[in-house]
Amino acid sequence: MIGAIRQTLEAGDQVLIFLNRRGYAPVLLCEACGWQADCPRCDAHLTVHYNGQSQRNSYSSNSYLKCHHCDWQAYIPTVCPDCGSQNLDAKGMGTTRLSENLHAIFANPQTSKELYPIIQIDRDTTRRKDSWENIYEQINKGNPAILVGTQMVAKGHHFPNVTLVCLPNADRGFLSADFRSPEHTAQLMIQVAGRAGRGDKAGRVLIQTLQPDNELLLKLVKDGYLSFARELLQERQMMGLPPHRHAALIRCEGKTLAATTQALKDAIAHLPNAHNLAVLGPIDAPMSKKNSRYHAQLLLLAKDRRQLHHVLGQWWQPVLALPSAKYLKLTLDIDPVGW
Ligand SMILES: [Zn+2]
Ligand SMILES: [Zn+2]
């Protein structure tokens, strides 16, 4: 990938590198005891925001820990809060770290004859007014450059001089627990790949993967999206998942997980006796604690859409009136996008 990037730059073209993760690194880990910096309000790691110009172990506008779900911020500790070790390490790679590493290879006089600009495009670099316009203008001058972007760059932008698109670390989406994740990942990959070769020159796309023989990925690359989608649809049919069955997702949010789970249990008890209706849950939502609130969920699946909606019509108002649902937030999501 590095060789292809250099080749493209030397030919006078631009490179787009897609990494859907902003910040410096997604995890801060203690190498001595395994402690990780987690958000106190969410079931999530804090992202390390840091860049080479700032002191790593002190608080500045460039150096901090941040939750990408609730915006909670903290200092980067100098020692592990659990064991006192100084052996804290940022693990994984976000757009800032990737840009820094590329800088060391392609914009450093010791390693590169020509110095190429590395342009980072994500929510952190485009927050200020006019910053996106300035970036866009710089790109559209057409000089050789490396663009590093999150999904902000996937859609709608026309970069005529980009002839190489790189997708490092493309596996995450194919390994996720959400059954719709491969579908969404493939769509994003197709969109990003579509940024290559939009001008007069042909484009090339490089995908970095730990599973080069992943069947779905091969299908997508060799046979295209339609063929990939047909394969997924077959899988969905075998597993009885949408669009072959129709879904309704009931989410319950409250101050404790016990209360939200209990309300959903009571809701099940009020469900009319319906054949061909699968009830899954209640279970903890994928990120059950978010912004200090707890989430549980219940999934209903039915072959017959009309029957499902008939049941929901009878059931939903009594559920909202349940004594155990008082003070909780209950929502009903028909044809949910994920669960
Ligand atoms: Zn430790
Ligand atoms: Zn949080």
Side-chain angles (χ1 to χ4, degrees):
M1 204 177 258
I2 289 172
I5 292 170
R6 190 172 292 284
Q7 230 174 38
T8 307
L9 294 170
E10 282 171 357
D13 295 342
Q14 294 174 338
V15 180
L16 170 65
I17 304 181
F18 174 73
L19 184 67
N20 208 9
R21 185 176 248 168
R22 65 194 171 91
Y24 184 77
V27 183
L28 183 70
L29 175 83
C30 171
E31 300 272 14
C33 77
W35 171 87
Q36 299 181 355
D38 289 330
C39 177
R41 302 198 297 209
C42 304
D43 285 333
H45 296 312
L46 294 171
T47 299
V48 184
H49 283 259
Y50 159 74
N51 68 40
Q53 278 85 51
S54 54
Q55 281 291 315
R56 182 152 176 180
N57 291 326
S58 68
Y59 191 79
S60 77
S61 59
N62 285 330
S63 180
Y64 52 92
L65 297 168
K66 183 170 183 172
C67 175
H68 284 186
H69 303 280
C70 73
D71 286 343
W72 196 84
Q73 284 197 27
Y75 294 91
I76 298 180
T78 48
V79 297
C80 170
D82 270 10
C83 76
S85 163
Q86 293 186 353
N87 212 351
L88 295 175
D89 202 12
K91 293 285 179 194
M93 184 146 71
T95 43
T96 309
R97 188 176 215 169
L98 178 58
S99 300
E100 242 181 61
N101 291 354
L102 288 164
H103 204 272
I105 302 170
F106 294 105
N108 178 346
Q110 284 166 358
T111 53
S112 195
K113 258 187 288 169
E114 291 284 328
L115 305 185
Y116 300 102
I118 320 282
I119 305 169
Q120 192 182 328
I121 310 159
D122 56 33
R123 254 206 285 158
D124 297 319
T125 60
T126 58
R127 192 167 285 142
R128 277 211 316 272
K129 220 178 145 215
D130 300 337
S131 48
W132 175 231
E133 283 78 3
N134 292 338
I135 287 174
Y136 206 76
E137 206 174 294
Q138 193 189 355
I139 296 168
N140 279 332
K141 277 184 191 151
N143 299 326
I146 302 176
L147 328 180
V148 177
T150 55
Q151 63 181 4
M152 273 188 79
V153 300
K155 270 191 219 171
H157 304 298
H158 182 61
F159 303 129
N161 278 331
V162 168
T163 57
L164 175 67
V165 167
C166 298
L167 302 155
N169 199 1
D171 291 312
R172 271 171 68 217
F174 280 93
L175 301 174
S176 162
D178 177 1
F179 78 94
R180 280 197 161 98
S181 189
E183 175 190 350
H184 292 154
T185 304
Q187 287 165 354
L188 201 53
M189 284 166 95
I190 296 279
Q191 277 172 359
V192 178
R195 299 308 104 204
R198 288 170 67 85
D200 303 329
K201 304 169 196 164
R204 184 147 77 119
V205 180
L206 291 180
I207 298 170
Q208 186 186 56
T209 172
L210 294 167
Q211 298 184 313
D213 49 2
N214 180 303
E215 274 178 39
L216 275 175
L217 184 59
L218 284 177
K219 195 112 202 146
L220 180 67
V221 172
K222 286 188 178 154
D223 304 335
Y225 186 77
L226 215 57
S227 187
F228 167 86
R230 277 196 207 103
E231 182 95 8
L232 275 188
L233 281 168
Q234 267 180 16
E235 261 184 44
R236 301 267 178 93
Q237 184 161 27
M238 267 163 37
M239 295 166 75
L241 289 167
H244 293 281
R245 283 207 286 180
H246 303 281
L249 183 69
I250 294 93
R251 289 193 182 89
C252 185
E253 179 190 327
K255 277 186 182 162
T256 68
L257 202 53
T260 55
T261 308
Q262 188 56 49
L264 291 178
K265 280 184 184 160
D266 294 346
I268 295 174
H270 280 71
L271 201 62
N273 245 334
H275 298 292
N276 302 325
L277 189 68
V279 181
L280 299 152
I283 56 163
D284 302 355
M287 214 173 94
S288 71
K289 186 181 172 197
K290 195 172 173 182
N291 211 354
S292 300
R293 304 276 291 171
Y294 290 85
H295 302 76
Q297 64 185 38
L298 183 67
L299 182 70
L300 305 180
L301 283 167
K303 280 211 174 80
D304 185 339
R305 189 179 183 83
R306 267 178 47 201
Q307 188 211 5
L308 175 65
H309 288 216
H310 181 70
V311 168
L312 292 174
Q314 289 183 323
W315 176 64
W316 188 239
Q317 286 310 319
V319 165
L320 292 178
L322 284 170
S324 58
K326 219 176 169 184
Y327 308 119
L328 301 178
K329 187 175 156 194
L330 276 154
T331 51
L332 174 61
D333 188 354
I334 311 277
D335 301 322
V337 171
W339 58 72

